[in-house]
């Protein structure tokens, strides 16, 4: 595997000063975890330096963190040294180093916005999950509140109906072929998940109060209380910049690589 983008990017530093965003995601994942009965094994796809591992490592017997970046994996080794049940392995979401039907739960957080077509990653997640297993996934939301209001002001009344993703990079970054950063339409994501075979059981709107002025004037504790209260109702209108989905692989659906001729 060649050099990954995050080999030359200080990702842990990115999270400095983003306690609200991190905790908002923890709140969402914890809500989904209460709906998952079997917690033996979990796969953290594109898990980076292990930001979310302190959340899941204490409640799962076996944890596998996969990421393409050697730098982030080295940081994860240090960050997660107190969790001996967390295995760390290099790999990509399009080619997961795991067996068919191997894990109870898979996380796909903060990676779909880098994928122009998330479908192959969904297929791989489906492959490695056991029948009845759960995928907790997140994507950057194209039709969040501010984006929709902006489209109205610009008289782009077809914006919310257009299922194509929006690339957030500047023209210069696109020309330089930097890593993609895409906001996906919720319906497009749902379509691809259902095409893969997943059943979507629940959704949450996350980071609903990610506004600099609010983060500055409101205590973190109050922001997180408001966040927890609002995640479920605001998911109905896809309000927030991030959408979290809880998806389940049907209990009667095994996956055999050989059946696909590979």
């Amino acid at each position: 595997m060649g050099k990954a983008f995050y080999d030359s990017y200080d990702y842990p530093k990115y999270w400095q000063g983003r306690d609200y965003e991190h905790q908002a995601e923890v709140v969402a994942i914890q809500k989904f975890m209460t709906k998952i009965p079997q917690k033996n094994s979990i796969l953290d796809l594109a898990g980076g330096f292990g930001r979310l591992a302190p959340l899941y490592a204490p409640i799962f017997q076996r944890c596998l963190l996969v990421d393409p970046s050697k730098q982030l994996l080295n940081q994860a080794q240090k960050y997660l040294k107190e969790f001996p049940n967390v295995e760390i392995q290099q790999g990509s979401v399009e080619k997961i180093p795991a067996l068919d039907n191997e894990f109870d739960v898979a996380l796909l957080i903060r990676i779909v916005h880098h994928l122009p077509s998330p479908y192959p990653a969904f297929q791989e997640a489906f492959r490695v999950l056991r029948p009845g297993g759960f995928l907790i996934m997140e994507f950057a939301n194209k039709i969040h509140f501010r984006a929709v209001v902006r489209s109205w002001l610009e008289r782009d009344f077809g914006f919310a109906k257009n299922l194509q993703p929006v690339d957030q990079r500047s023209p210069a970054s696109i020309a330089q072929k930097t890593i993609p950063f895409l906001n996906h339409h919720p319906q497009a994501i749902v379509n691809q998940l259902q095409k893969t075979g997943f059943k979507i059981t629940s959704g949450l709107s996350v980071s609903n109060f990610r506004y600099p002025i609010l983060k500055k004037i409101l205590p973190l504790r109050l922001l997180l209380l408001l966040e927890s209260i609002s995640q479920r109702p605001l998911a109905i209108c896809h309000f927030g910049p991030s959408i979290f989905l809880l998806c389940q692989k049907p209990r009667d659906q095994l996956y055999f690589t050989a059946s696909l001729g590979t």
Side-chain angles (χ1 to χ4, degrees):
M1 183 175 293
K3 186 176 181 180
F5 171 80
Y6 282 95
D7 283 336
S8 56
Y9 181 77
D10 192 346
Y11 193 49
K13 186 176 180 180
Y14 168 85
W15 285 100
Q16 294 177 11
R18 287 182 168 87
D19 291 345
Y20 163 67
E21 290 85 348
H22 168 71
Q23 292 297 333
E25 295 184 359
V26 169
V27 167
I29 295 170
Q30 287 175 328
K31 288 180 180 180
F32 284 162
M33 287 295 185
T34 64
K35 300 176 179 290
I36 298 174
Q38 186 167 324
K39 299 182 179 71
N40 293 323
S41 57
I42 185 169
L43 173 63
D44 189 354
L45 295 166
F49 64 93
R51 175 176 66 95
L52 297 173
L55 167 63
Y56 59 73
I59 57 177
F60 284 84
Q61 296 178 18
R62 182 196 171 201
C63 311
L64 175 61
L65 185 154
V66 173
D67 197 276
S69 168
K70 290 183 179 180
Q71 174 175 288
L72 289 181
L73 294 179
N74 289 336
Q75 292 169 345
Q77 291 280 2
K78 299 175 182 178
Y79 183 61
L80 303 176
K81 59 184 179 181
E82 64 180 286
F83 299 109
N85 61 324
V86 179
E87 305 169 40
I88 296 172
Q89 191 168 347
Q90 189 175 23
S92 71
V93 295
E94 292 94 350
K95 192 174 183 181
I96 302 171
L99 300 175
D100 298 352
N101 315 303
E102 186 175 356
F103 288 90
D104 297 314
V105 180
L107 297 180
L108 198 62
I109 310 295
R110 293 264 175 174
I111 181 62
V112 172
H113 59 263
H114 291 318
L115 306 177
S117 175
Y119 184 61
F122 296 162
Q123 288 180 301
E124 273 289 88
F126 190 90
R127 177 183 69 80
V128 301
L129 283 172
R130 293 171 180 162
F134 289 88
L135 169 68
I136 298 176
M137 65 87 59
E138 173 272 343
F139 64 94
N141 176 23
K142 172 184 176 179
I143 57 170
H144 62 83
F145 176 73
R146 285 189 293 178
V148 171
V149 170
R150 184 168 59 247
S151 71
W152 289 343
L153 294 175
E154 296 173 353
R155 298 182 178 274
D156 183 4
F157 300 116
F159 175 78
K161 295 181 180 180
N162 185 343
L163 300 189
Q164 293 300 312
V166 173
D167 197 329
Q168 297 299 304
R169 293 176 296 172
S170 67
S173 294
I174 294 174
Q176 294 171 8
K177 298 182 178 180
T178 60
I179 190 169
F181 199 109
L182 301 159
N183 286 4
H184 289 277
H185 196 290
Q187 189 58 55
I189 293 295
V190 167
N191 291 346
Q192 292 183 55
L193 287 166
Q194 291 178 337
K195 180 181 177 182
T196 305
F198 281 111
K199 176 184 177 182
I200 300 168
T201 66
S202 187
L204 297 171
S205 174
V206 178
S207 293
N208 297 298
F209 305 99
R210 195 177 71 185
Y211 297 91
I213 184 64
L214 292 180
K215 291 169 60 177
K216 186 175 182 179
I217 65 177
L218 295 180
L220 177 60
R221 186 174 179 179
L222 178 56
L223 277 176
L224 292 175
L225 175 61
L226 295 172
E227 175 74 23
S228 182
I229 293 171
S230 68
Q231 283 184 347
R232 195 170 304 281
L234 290 182
I236 297 172
C237 61
H238 306 112
F239 179 88
S242 292
I243 300 295
F244 276 62
L245 298 176
L246 179 64
C247 314
Q248 186 173 24
K249 180 176 178 176
R251 294 185 179 277
D252 59 351
Q253 195 159 1
L254 285 169
Y255 188 100
F256 297 101
T257 304
S259 68
L260 299 181
T262 58

